Amino acid sequence: MDGLPNSPAARDAATLVHGFTNLAAHRRDGAKIIVSGKGVYVYDDTGRPYIEAVAGMWCTSLGFGEEELIDAAVEQMHKLPYYHTVASKSVGPAIDLAEKLASLVPIRNARIYFALSGSEANDNLVKFIRYYNNAIGRPLKKKIISRINGYHGSTLGAASMTGIPVQHRAFDLPLPGFLHTDDPHFYRNGLPGEDEAAFVARMAGNLEAMILAEGPDTVAAFIAEPVTGAGGVVIPPDGYFSAIQAVLAKYDVLFLADEVITGFGRTGRMFGCETFGIAPDTMTMAKGLSSAYQPIAALALSDEIYRGLEKGSDSIGFFAHGTTYSGHPVAAAVALRTIEIMERRGILAHVQKVSRRFVERLRGFADHPLVGEVRAVGLVGAVELVADKATRARFQPLGAVGKFVRERCEDLGVITRQISASDTIAFSPPLIITEAEIDEVFDVFGRALDDAMAVRPV
Ligand SMILES: Cc1ncc(COP(=O)(O)O)c(C=O)c1O
């Protein structure tokens, strides 16, 4: 590794364990250290600016250095830096935020529980659904169906729902009771001669066959991201979610919407469920909830599920689940201010406006010789690079061209996301991005693609 033995990168490599990283390569190559940020830009420890075209981990929706969010945290720190919400204690910011979220989510009379991360929220949800079904006398109805390539987090339950094989391998996952149905990615999984309508019917038919094979009385829920994020920014064909919801309704299977990426404006509406016509029973949210300025996640539960929890808690004696930081007042105050800023500054209208440019610029790459498919909705999108446009053949080895393009973009001052060592490059910039900044991102990406032509494997 370049640099002095006491440089931040050397000290990092000596002590810090990194997630989603090749650990040996990291020890050799070291980290890029980010020290500050403003707007859509972050700065490394040499002072170099980069446009953060994935908003960190698809999360800093209001950009970096937003003074109002900093003020919200400082004000709450002075007032009450910590108190908890267990054993019938509560704090004002958690109450205000719960009320606000309940008024926003497309779930009637929603009840809100707070967690710290998307993984924790989804993991908690698995427990809550089990508790609910036990309380209402359905002790067998416990299995959860998620989708191949879906991403729901890294804790035991959330990683079991995740449908990305590398996240199961060597972790002895998934746990029993977690099943995976089709990835609704038409470009990759459509059959020769199959149109989108037939593809959707096949997806719904396979889900129904799985529920019947398992026994409907054993299947509790189906979980999906409105747009699959970490699995490749997959946008299902028209009609997919209505066909899936019809199957779920038939067998009394809950729809759990994972809005960790799509929540809070990413698709141009407040929630992805609104963009894609989903009527969920629960919703998990994180990331954009606080513009990632504080670690906070939320679960919205239907009144019916909540009443099950209350019933179970009454018969057992109490609801024996809780954490120290659930409803943390500083995190809740920052999340509340985030939503308030979104409303006051018209962030949704801004996304609707600039996303036209974002989608148009992304689609402009469709004819590039390296590009197989362009996918985009709102301010989230991806470009899948292929070795052969006609056959859709992937590059071998998979990921080398994607890595080159990601690194080239970074050399040119734009941080993108390479999807799980593949040749798909994702974009999910802060929602405050301007049209001029969108142009800057895609001018750089275009140069990186052209440069990749010279080095691609043949
Ligand atoms: C859709 C989705 N669900 C859950 C998670 C997990 O969230 P966290 O990383 O906060 O645990 C993520 C993270 O990227 C996500 O994209």
Side-chain angles (χ1 to χ4, degrees), residues 20 57-58 116-122 150-155 158 162 223-231 258-262 284 286-287 296-297 417:
F20 297 129
M57 295 276 284
W58 335 65
L116 298 186
S117 68
S119 301
E120 194 201 343
N122 283 328
Y151 183 72
H152 303 291
S154 279
T155 53
T162 290
I223 185 166
E225 306 152 80
V227 174
T228 309
D258 182 338
E259 291 262 11
V260 168
I261 284 181
T262 50
T284 39
K287 297 188 189 277
I296 182 166
R417 166 86 172 240

Side-chain angles (χ1 to χ4, degrees), residues 13 46 62 68 100 131 161 208 240 253-254 266 284 291 293 301-302 351 417:
T46 69
L62 298 181
E68 283 200 59
K100 184 71 198 176
Y131 199 88
M161 294 192 286
E208 180 160 19
Y240 168 78
V253 174
L254 300 168
R266 179 58 57 196
T284 39
S291 189
Y293 278 46
L301 308 171
S302 70
V351 173
R417 166 86 172 240

